[in-house]
Amino acid sequence: MISKVYISHSPADEEMALQLSRALWRVGLESYVALYNLSPAISLAERASFGLRNSECLVALLTVEGSTSSEVCQEIGLARGLDLLIIPLLEEGAKLPFLIEHLRPLVFREEKYADVVGLLIKILRELSRLEWLKVTCPKCGEEMTQYLTPQEDVEEALAKSTFLETICSYCQNKIRLDARTFEPRL
């Protein structure tokens, strides 16, 4: 069962990695991201090793720049050595590093990044027991926890290009949720 995910990314892809991390947090998955900024007293290599050894899955964010990043390639190598599940997110035009060129990546374009995040969440739902959804109300800022929307309802909303809906238990405002990433909107 997957409960912790390591997101491998180049420093240039930090914002995309943080967006992915927030989406995973909303569905109850812990992720190791932004290790570049955490605990500067510990070397980057030790931070990466710690994050990978404490995860069940590596998500490799491979943009055109990120796919040639030595840090990303080394993290993939360590994940292979630890026999972790590796799920590559590959930007169109990028090339898979040779250690994972046998894997089938989830391909995306930058402007459609939320689509691939939604597909990744669907895959992780199939491999995990994700039951809870964390929602932060965009109006009052309160965080609430509720049951995760059934995948059938998510699929229906995606097919109709509509939002999922909930109500803030604090301020009682309606909240629309992006069906791919569960990102809240008023």
Side-chain angles (χ1 to χ4, degrees):
M1 179 171 339
I2 296 172
S3 62
K4 294 180 184 172
V5 176
Y6 185 92
I7 301 171
S8 180
H9 65 287
S10 73
D13 299 324
E14 183 79 14
E15 186 53 42
M16 291 174 82
L18 288 173
Q19 183 181 349
L20 175 57
S21 178
R22 286 189 294 268
L24 295 177
W25 173 84
R26 284 190 286 273
V27 296
L29 291 170
E30 187 177 339
S31 64
Y32 291 97
V33 70
L35 292 177
Y36 297 107
N37 301 326
L38 299 175
S39 305
I42 300 171
S43 74
L44 180 56
E46 289 302 314
R47 287 178 270 168
S49 178
F50 172 82
L52 283 162
R53 290 178 190 283
N54 287 286
S55 298
E56 295 91 17
C57 174
L58 168 88
V59 173
L61 179 55
L62 301 165
T63 60
V64 172
E65 183 176 329
S67 64
T68 60
S69 163
S70 62
E71 292 92 348
V72 171
C73 291
Q74 289 178 38
E75 289 169 345
I76 289 170
L78 181 54
R80 287 283 313 263
L82 294 170
D83 200 26
L84 293 181
L85 171 66
I86 300 173
I87 303 173
L89 305 183
L90 185 69
E91 182 180 28
E92 284 183 3
K95 187 178 175 196
L96 285 174
F98 83 95
L99 283 174
I100 59 170
E101 64 188 3
H102 63 286
L103 297 178
R104 196 171 107 203
L106 305 178
V107 180
F108 70 95
R109 289 190 316 254
E110 186 174 353
E111 62 273 7
K112 296 276 191 173
Y113 183 61
D115 291 342
V116 80
V117 171
L119 181 56
L120 175 66
I121 289 172
K122 179 182 177 187
I123 290 167
L124 293 174
R125 281 184 87 164
E126 294 168 353
L127 299 173
S128 302
R129 288 177 135 188
L130 303 180
E131 297 176 357
W132 299 102
L133 178 65
K134 297 176 193 171
V135 179
T136 302
C137 178
K139 181 157 185 163
C140 72
E142 290 293 331
E143 181 185 308
M144 58 193 151
T145 303
Q146 57 190 20
Y147 283 111
L148 184 59
T149 307
Q151 187 62 37
E152 303 82 47
D153 294 348
V154 172
E155 298 291 337
E156 184 178 329
L158 289 171
K160 293 179 179 178
S161 297
T162 61
F163 289 93
L164 301 169
E165 293 188 4
T166 190
I167 295 175
C168 177
S169 56
Y170 298 96
C171 68
Q172 301 301 308
N173 280 300
K174 287 185 180 181
I175 302 172
R176 298 180 310 158
L177 301 173
D178 184 312
R180 300 163 300 178
T181 65
F182 298 97
E183 183 175 358
R185 301 167 191 213
L186 284 178

